[in-house]
Amino acid sequence: MNSNMSNEKVLNCKPAGYEDDYDDEFKFNSSGSSQESGRIRIVKGLGHQARLNKEDFDITLPPDVQNWLTAFSKTFNTFKKGAVVSQGIRMFFGTRPDLFEIVLKLYANLPGSTNPKSGTFAFTLIKELDAYLKCYDPNVIASMKKFISDDTKMVAFNFFHNQNQLFNVVCECYDLKSSREIFIGRIRELISEQKYKDACQSACDLELYEGFSIHDFLIPLILQDKMSVAEKYLGMAYKLQCELVTFLDSWLDHSQPFANFYDNYLGKRDINGVNYSKLHRKTLKKLVKRYAEMYKISKDLTPFLQEMDAYGMLQLLLNKKYVENSLKDWDEYIKETVPTHSNRLIEELINACCDYNDIPEAAKWVAYFNVDTSCNNYPIRLEEYLKKKSNTKLNEAKDNAKSDYDVVEVPPEVMQYSIDPEKICVINTMDNFYKMIGDLLNFNTLGFDCEWKFRESDIDLIQLSSKSRVYLIDVKVLKSILSDEDWRKLGRKIFRNEEILKLGFSQASDIAMIKKTLPGLCITYEKSTSYMDLQKLWRYLQEIPGFKLPFTDNSLGRAKQDLRQLTHLCLGQPLDKNQQFSNWAKRPLTAEQILYAASDAYCLLEIFDVLKTEAARLKVDLSDYELCKKLK
């Protein structure tokens, strides 16, 4: 009888009741052919050109190993896993002086070895090898691995480089990293076959962080929108981080259409699977920004990213000034935002001022940036305005960074909410810091707010208010004075004190900013019920029939429901928000900023009194635990 047929018949025997998804597991043989729907499909075996010199690896099993496999297959089919299977495989391992080579031959003869699934014999064999080696003294195993030839290691690489679940295990078992350089050529072959993911994953697992450029597989993977694989490699390929970020930043240059960059790049390289739907400038900007922050790349090396950020900031500033009329320190922000070397941003600023019909403001920036308006990039009316002005006037405009639009006039008949300045205390020394903590412990309810510079990511000021005093904690100054332990005491005594209710308005963003700027406070906001968001409380009470506040505001419903409106509805006077976008990073703070910051926190206490009274009238229990969780 044909031996293959005999083996197949034996391997397919199963006790009754054990037929399952693995019934067909042992219907394959080592010849490289497989039976599929009655047809014979010839495939190249795993051993094909698998050796170091590109020769075939002989996967023929010695007779004694074949006999063991034939006999043990019955056991595996019966039990699949567990002590019986583990013990049987490990006993076999203990009899083999050629363990590492014979495991590869066994693996190649098992069905499904090209893509083994968890629970199959092929998968189990490798996992058991790993477990077997870990049972011995590491020094003994290290001595054994010294005798693994580079040829055997190359076979192991070729068998498993595309097996994500097993390759790391094989790297460890066969000590592939000690001979990592021999795989560079093979990885380059994967690159030439456009198997960028396999190439990158293999290089990463083998810790081959040198010998490849960003164009080998990192850029192709980014173009294929497979960033996670690329980032795993890039995280350790320190020499490539800056090169990749600066290269991607060059594609953010607005001097030519974005499509030109990747068209030129792809025209020189054959890259398949490019995800064109994700190839646009905004998406790339987010990626460059994230990488620059992640790898701490200097801003000087990402000029086009900085220009895009500045452009976005400029649009926000223009909207705040001309649409919302809510921006202070306009000139200072513009000088910080628009670089003197960025012709694109300067042109955008001047043209935008003209679009808002503010020709004098446009002329001011023409003088400040020393712009040559003889080109055709500016409106004729600006040219006409400039002709009417003498050189003396232009020089005065350059020095005087003021404009009619800088001041938002408050109608005299509208009184703004404010606080008695005598109640305000700026905390910028250690002594005052600790006196403040002691005083705040005398109160069970505090108003809480934060301020930071527009579009910045660090807190500059924290406001904590009791009914008797408002404390403005100057974080920008105190960060260089206080230790982590000092901040921890403030966190423990106040922010994590469950006996003190902290009132805020849309406070989640404030908490997030504080956690980032002052991690030493150790705020446990998610688990606490000692915070209440008055915006959420307001919206909750609004849903209850009969809800009514003492005052009315005709603008309600036509604008967003913000703290200014709630102050008006509860206290009869709107909150002055003109300092909201002022420069909170600049020292010393102005009197207007100090008054604004204190009012922002103190008004929360008076608003809470009104909302609490209305809640009681509506029979809403603000001490209810579940409600408190919703309102923080």
Side-chain angles (χ1 to χ4, degrees):
M1 180 181 293
N2 182 288
S3 60
N4 284 337
M5 293 179 60
S6 176
N7 287 342
E8 184 175 315
K9 184 175 180 181
V10 172
L11 293 174
N12 283 323
C13 291
K14 281 190 172 185
Y18 282 93
E19 296 83 356
D20 56 19
D21 293 341
Y22 299 102
D23 284 351
D24 296 329
E25 178 157 0
F26 294 102
K27 291 184 181 177
F28 294 83
N29 56 47
S30 62
S31 67
S33 67
S34 65
Q35 198 165 10
E36 185 179 314
S37 302
R39 295 175 295 171
I40 299 297
R41 177 169 56 90
I42 305 299
V43 296
K44 292 180 180 179
L46 276 179
H48 179 69
Q49 295 186 350
R51 296 177 62 186
L52 193 60
N53 57 3
K54 290 289 186 182
E55 292 182 356
D56 291 351
F57 174 68
D58 183 8
I59 63 172
T60 304
L61 294 174
D64 60 330
V65 177
Q66 181 65 63
N67 291 336
W68 174 84
L69 176 60
T70 301
F72 188 74
S73 297
K74 297 179 182 178
T75 303
F76 185 83
N77 279 342
T78 301
F79 295 99
K80 299 298 181 185
K81 59 183 178 179
V84 173
V85 170
S86 294
Q87 185 178 6
I89 294 176
R90 295 183 195 184
M91 287 179 63
F92 169 75
F93 288 162
T95 66
R96 303 304 306 185
D98 55 350
L99 173 63
F100 296 101
E101 183 175 345
I102 209 67
V103 166
L104 294 175
K105 291 190 175 189
L106 264 175
Y107 179 82
N109 277 271
L110 291 173
S113 55
T114 55
N115 186 24
K117 297 179 181 179
S118 178
T120 61
F121 198 167
F123 188 94
T124 303
L125 180 72
I126 302 304
K127 298 296 282 187
E128 286 297 336
L129 175 64
D130 181 47
Y132 174 78
L133 295 175
K134 288 178 178 177
C135 290
Y136 287 86
D137 185 300
N139 294 324
V140 174
I141 298 302
S143 299
M144 291 172 58
K145 291 179 179 180
K146 287 181 180 179
F147 295 99
I148 304 176
S149 68
D150 285 351
D151 194 53
T152 300
K153 291 180 180 182
M154 180 58 74
V155 174
F157 176 88
N158 283 320
F159 278 18
F160 295 98
H161 69 80
N162 61 346
Q163 306 297 333
N164 292 337
Q165 296 187 72
L166 292 178
F167 187 62
N168 271 324
V169 176
V170 171
C171 280
E172 182 67 25
C173 292
Y174 284 80
D175 195 23
L176 300 190
K177 293 177 185 177
S178 67
S179 304
R180 57 174 64 92
E181 290 78 12
I182 70 172
F183 306 112
I184 293 178
R186 182 68 185 96
I187 291 176
R188 293 202 175 280
E189 290 178 11
L190 294 175
I191 294 170
S192 66
E193 297 166 6
Q194 300 194 29
K195 297 178 180 177
Y196 304 113
K197 183 177 179 181
D198 285 352
C200 182
Q201 188 68 55
S202 298
C204 190
D205 291 338
L206 291 168
E207 298 178 5
L208 278 168
Y209 299 118
E210 296 185 10
F212 298 101
S213 77
I214 61 172
H215 304 290
D216 286 327
F217 44 71
L218 292 177
I219 298 295
L221 286 170
I222 290 172
L223 293 174
Q224 293 176 338
D225 194 29
K226 297 177 180 177
M227 259 75 77
S228 60
V229 182
E231 288 171 11
K232 182 180 178 183
Y233 180 84
L234 192 61
M236 299 299 294
Y238 304 115
K239 293 182 179 180
L240 298 183
Q241 293 170 356
C242 184
E243 182 185 352
L244 177 71
V245 172
T246 53
F247 176 80
L248 294 177
D249 180 73
S250 69
W251 283 19
L252 300 179
D253 183 3
H254 272 77
S255 65
Q256 58 178 300
F258 181 65
N260 288 3
F261 292 108
Y262 62 78
D263 282 344
N264 292 337
Y265 188 84
L266 294 174
K268 300 174 184 177
R269 298 167 178 82
D270 183 20
I271 300 176
N272 62 6
V274 175
N275 189 344
Y276 289 96
S277 66
K278 296 291 185 71
L279 280 182
H280 44 82
R281 197 173 259 116
K282 285 187 178 180
T283 301
L284 184 63
K285 176 201 168 185
K286 292 179 182 179
L287 184 67
V288 174
K289 191 178 186 71
R290 184 161 63 86
Y291 284 176
E293 293 175 354
M294 187 185 303
Y295 305 127
K296 297 179 172 53
I297 305 299
S298 169
K299 290 184 178 181
D300 294 338
L301 300 177
T302 55
F304 299 111
L305 170 63
Q306 304 313 314
E307 186 177 72
M308 285 190 72
D309 276 346
Y311 182 86
M313 179 67 167
L314 176 59
Q315 300 307 313
L316 272 171
L317 293 175
L318 289 165
N319 184 72
K320 293 292 180 186
K321 176 178 175 62
Y322 290 111
V323 179
E324 297 182 8
N325 264 355
S326 61
L327 184 64
K328 292 290 183 181
D329 302 321
W330 154 261
D331 288 346
E332 184 178 341
Y333 275 121
I334 290 297
K335 291 173 184 178
E336 287 183 2
T337 301
V338 181
T340 56
H341 62 269
S342 177
N343 293 331
R344 173 176 172 251
L345 292 180
I346 293 170
E347 184 178 319
E348 176 69 20
L349 168 64
I350 294 171
N351 280 323
C353 290
C354 292
D355 290 341
Y356 284 109
N357 204 30
D358 191 359
I359 304 301
E361 186 72 12
K364 180 183 72 179
W365 295 115
V366 166
Y368 179 82
F369 290 110
N370 195 24
V371 175
D372 178 10
T373 58
S374 61
C375 62
N376 296 323
N377 294 335
Y378 298 100
I380 296 175
R381 54 189 173 146
L382 176 59
E383 286 288 322
E384 293 174 346
Y385 180 88
L386 292 171
K387 287 178 182 178
K388 295 178 182 178
K389 296 292 182 180
S390 65
N391 291 332
T392 305
K393 274 290 186 185
L394 286 176
N395 290 332
E396 289 176 356
K398 180 177 180 179
D399 295 332
N400 182 17
K402 290 296 177 182
S403 144
D404 292 339
Y405 288 85
D406 283 331
V407 179
V408 179
E409 296 291 344
V410 179
E413 65 274 10
V414 178
M415 296 297 294
Q416 299 283 347
Y417 175 87
S418 188
I419 183 179
D420 181 1
E422 296 294 324
K423 290 186 174 184
I424 304 172
C425 182
V426 178
I427 305 299
N428 50 22
T429 68
M430 184 179 292
D431 287 344
N432 286 341
F433 179 80
Y434 277 98
K435 288 178 182 178
M436 171 197 71
I437 294 176
D439 181 48
L440 291 176
L441 287 171
N442 295 317
F443 300 90
N444 57 18
T445 304
L446 299 175
F448 158 61
D449 195 25
C450 300
E451 306 296 341
W452 58 88
K453 185 180 177 182
F454 187 44
R455 292 294 292 272
E456 292 293 326
S457 57
D458 282 341
I459 292 285
D460 294 309
L461 197 70
I462 296 176
Q463 304 101 281
L464 288 171
S465 175
S466 68
K467 280 291 184 70
S468 62
R469 189 171 292 275
V470 184
Y471 292 101
L472 306 185
I473 306 173
D474 195 338
V475 176
K476 190 170 184 65
V477 172
L478 289 175
K479 278 186 74 174
S480 61
I481 298 175
L482 301 182
S483 67
D484 286 345
E485 181 57 32
D486 296 322
W487 291 112
R488 275 194 289 272
K489 285 182 180 178
L490 176 63
R492 184 172 64 254
K493 298 284 188 179
I494 305 300
F495 286 97
R496 298 202 307 276
N497 189 334
E498 292 296 305
E499 301 301 318
I500 299 177
L501 177 64
K502 277 75 68 176
L503 303 172
F505 190 91
S506 189
Q507 62 191 4
S509 58
D510 291 338
I511 294 292
M513 289 290 284
I514 288 180
K515 283 185 173 182
K516 183 176 180 182
T517 307
L518 298 170
L521 284 175
C522 303
I523 296 179
T524 54
Y525 176 69
E526 294 78 7
K527 300 178 181 178
S528 175
T529 56
S530 66
Y531 290 86
M532 182 172 290
D533 189 331
L534 296 187
Q535 185 182 54
K536 292 183 178 180
L537 175 58
W538 180 19
R539 291 174 176 173
Y540 178 83
L541 295 175
Q542 277 183 314
E543 299 298 319
I544 300 175
F547 170 73
K548 186 178 180 180
L549 291 175
F551 299 91
T552 59
D553 183 352
N554 293 330
S555 66
L556 191 60
R558 297 198 303 269
K560 62 181 181 180
Q561 298 180 349
D562 55 17
L563 182 57
R564 184 179 189 276
Q565 283 188 336
L566 184 58
T567 308
H568 196 168
L569 292 170
C570 291
L571 308 178
Q573 295 174 332
L575 187 66
D576 183 359
K577 302 294 286 185
N578 286 332
Q579 293 293 327
Q580 182 175 13
F581 296 103
S582 61
N583 188 351
W584 292 100
K586 187 177 180 180
R587 292 296 179 273
L589 296 171
T590 66
E592 291 81 6
Q593 285 179 308
I594 290 174
L595 187 60
Y596 165 84
S599 300
D600 236 18
Y602 187 80
C603 73
L604 298 173
L605 296 167
E606 296 192 329
I607 289 172
F608 181 60
D609 287 342
V610 174
L611 294 178
K612 185 167 59 174
T613 299
E614 182 63 8
R617 187 182 71 82
L618 296 173
K619 295 183 171 46
V620 175
D621 182 7
L622 295 183
S623 64
D624 180 76
Y625 177 76
E626 293 300 323
L627 180 59
C628 286
K629 287 199 299 183
K630 292 180 181 179
L631 298 180
K632 72 175 184 179

